[in-house]
PDB file of all heavy atoms in Angstrom:
ATOM      1  N   MET A  72     113.530 -62.708  42.406  1.00  0.00           N
ATOM      2  CA  MET A  72     114.302 -62.969  41.121  1.00  0.00           C
ATOM      3  C   MET A  72     115.136 -64.274  41.265  1.00  0.00           C
ATOM      4  O   MET A  72     115.172 -65.028  40.306  1.00  0.00           O
ATOM      5  CB  MET A  72     115.213 -61.799  40.860  1.00  0.00           C
ATOM      6  CG  MET A  72     114.535 -60.535  40.400  1.00  0.00           C
ATOM      7  SD  MET A  72     115.768 -59.273  39.920  1.00  0.00           S
ATOM      8  CE  MET A  72     116.459 -60.033  38.492  1.00  0.00           C
ATOM      9  N   ALA A  78     114.133 -71.677  39.418  1.00  0.00           N
ATOM     10  CA  ALA A  78     113.088 -72.480  38.756  1.00  0.00           C
ATOM     11  C   ALA A  78     113.385 -72.651  37.281  1.00  0.00           C
ATOM     12  O   ALA A  78     113.174 -73.739  36.690  1.00  0.00           O
ATOM     13  CB  ALA A  78     111.711 -71.851  38.973  1.00  0.00           C
ATOM     14  N   TRP A  81     116.284 -75.010  36.779  1.00  0.00           N
ATOM     15  CA  TRP A  81     115.855 -76.321  37.007  1.00  0.00           C
ATOM     16  C   TRP A  81     115.098 -76.897  35.692  1.00  0.00           C
ATOM     17  O   TRP A  81     115.356 -78.056  35.302  1.00  0.00           O
ATOM     18  CB  TRP A  81     114.959 -76.440  38.179  1.00  0.00           C
ATOM     19  CG  TRP A  81     114.507 -77.815  38.606  1.00  0.00           C
ATOM     20  CD1 TRP A  81     113.487 -78.596  38.078  1.00  0.00           C
ATOM     21  CD2 TRP A  81     115.170 -78.633  39.600  1.00  0.00           C
ATOM     22  NE1 TRP A  81     113.471 -79.831  38.711  1.00  0.00           N
ATOM     23  CE2 TRP A  81     114.476 -79.897  39.612  1.00  0.00           C
ATOM     24  CE3 TRP A  81     116.199 -78.428  40.415  1.00  0.00           C
ATOM     25  CZ2 TRP A  81     114.851 -80.882  40.493  1.00  0.00           C
ATOM     26  CZ3 TRP A  81     116.590 -79.430  41.279  1.00  0.00           C
ATOM     27  CH2 TRP A  81     115.891 -80.675  41.335  1.00  0.00           C
ATOM     28  N   ALA A  82     114.319 -76.051  35.067  1.00  0.00           N
ATOM     29  CA  ALA A  82     113.632 -76.440  33.891  1.00  0.00           C
ATOM     30  C   ALA A  82     114.616 -76.688  32.720  1.00  0.00           C
ATOM     31  O   ALA A  82     114.445 -77.679  32.006  1.00  0.00           O
ATOM     32  CB  ALA A  82     112.599 -75.317  33.523  1.00  0.00           C
ATOM     33  N   GLU A 111     117.594 -53.308  35.058  1.00  0.00           N
ATOM     34  CA  GLU A 111     117.412 -52.158  35.974  1.00  0.00           C
ATOM     35  C   GLU A 111     116.999 -52.658  37.357  1.00  0.00           C
ATOM     36  O   GLU A 111     117.415 -52.129  38.399  1.00  0.00           O
ATOM     37  CB  GLU A 111     116.325 -51.273  35.449  1.00  0.00           C
ATOM     38  CG  GLU A 111     116.673 -50.474  34.132  1.00  0.00           C
ATOM     39  CD  GLU A 111     116.679 -51.370  32.922  1.00  0.00           C
ATOM     40  OE1 GLU A 111     116.150 -52.517  32.956  1.00  0.00           O
ATOM     41  OE2 GLU A 111     117.259 -50.869  31.896  1.00  0.00           O
ATOM     42  N   LEU A 123     122.411 -61.062  49.026  1.00  0.00           N
ATOM     43  CA  LEU A 123     122.147 -62.003  50.137  1.00  0.00           C
ATOM     44  C   LEU A 123     122.239 -63.387  49.752  1.00  0.00           C
ATOM     45  O   LEU A 123     122.864 -64.258  50.358  1.00  0.00           O
ATOM     46  CB  LEU A 123     120.755 -61.690  50.693  1.00  0.00           C
ATOM     47  CG  LEU A 123     120.252 -62.662  51.843  1.00  0.00           C
ATOM     48  CD1 LEU A 123     121.128 -62.488  53.096  1.00  0.00           C
ATOM     49  CD2 LEU A 123     118.767 -62.459  52.081  1.00  0.00           C
ATOM     50  N   VAL A 199     135.957 -69.551  50.308  1.00  0.00           N
ATOM     51  CA  VAL A 199     137.212 -68.791  50.537  1.00  0.00           C
ATOM     52  C   VAL A 199     136.958 -67.254  50.470  1.00  0.00           C
ATOM     53  O   VAL A 199     137.574 -66.483  51.189  1.00  0.00           O
ATOM     54  CB  VAL A 199     138.282 -69.209  49.529  1.00  0.00           C
ATOM     55  CG1 VAL A 199     139.453 -68.273  49.542  1.00  0.00           C
ATOM     56  CG2 VAL A 199     138.692 -70.646  49.819  1.00  0.00           C
ATOM     57  N   GLY A 243     137.307 -91.923  34.306  1.00  0.00           N
ATOM     58  CA  GLY A 243     136.486 -91.438  35.427  1.00  0.00           C
ATOM     59  C   GLY A 243     137.377 -90.704  36.458  1.00  0.00           C
ATOM     60  O   GLY A 243     137.044 -89.673  36.948  1.00  0.00           O
ATOM     61  N   LEU A 324     128.477 -86.687  60.343  1.00  0.00           N
ATOM     62  CA  LEU A 324     127.130 -87.296  60.453  1.00  0.00           C
ATOM     63  C   LEU A 324     126.922 -88.393  59.316  1.00  0.00           C
ATOM     64  O   LEU A 324     126.345 -89.426  59.575  1.00  0.00           O
ATOM     65  CB  LEU A 324     126.082 -86.154  60.344  1.00  0.00           C
ATOM     66  CG  LEU A 324     124.641 -86.610  60.430  1.00  0.00           C
ATOM     67  CD1 LEU A 324     124.337 -87.350  61.794  1.00  0.00           C
ATOM     68  CD2 LEU A 324     123.669 -85.409  60.287  1.00  0.00           C
ATOM     69  N   ARG A 325     127.349 -88.035  58.161  1.00  0.00           N
ATOM     70  CA  ARG A 325     127.183 -88.945  57.055  1.00  0.00           C
ATOM     71  C   ARG A 325     128.058 -90.218  57.302  1.00  0.00           C
ATOM     72  O   ARG A 325     127.582 -91.348  56.955  1.00  0.00           O
ATOM     73  CB  ARG A 325     127.639 -88.322  55.713  1.00  0.00           C
ATOM     74  CG  ARG A 325     127.855 -89.266  54.525  1.00  0.00           C
ATOM     75  CD  ARG A 325     126.473 -89.757  54.030  1.00  0.00           C
ATOM     76  NE  ARG A 325     126.600 -90.747  52.994  1.00  0.00           N
ATOM     77  CZ  ARG A 325     126.574 -90.445  51.692  1.00  0.00           C
ATOM     78  NH1 ARG A 325     126.478 -89.205  51.273  1.00  0.00           N
ATOM     79  NH2 ARG A 325     126.668 -91.359  50.778  1.00  0.00           N
ATOM     80  N   LEU A 353     125.350 -64.464  42.251  1.00  0.00           N
ATOM     81  CA  LEU A 353     126.723 -64.108  41.820  1.00  0.00           C
ATOM     82  C   LEU A 353     126.768 -63.780  40.355  1.00  0.00           C
ATOM     83  O   LEU A 353     127.463 -62.876  39.940  1.00  0.00           O
ATOM     84  CB  LEU A 353     127.689 -65.161  42.213  1.00  0.00           C
ATOM     85  CG  LEU A 353     127.979 -65.371  43.689  1.00  0.00           C
ATOM     86  CD1 LEU A 353     128.902 -66.595  43.907  1.00  0.00           C
ATOM     87  CD2 LEU A 353     128.662 -64.146  44.259  1.00  0.00           C
TER      88      LEU A 353
END
Side-chain angles (χ1 to χ4, degrees):
M72 290 186 64
W81 187 276
E111 290 76 13
L123 175 68
V199 170
L324 181 59
R325 170 68 185 268
L353 289 175

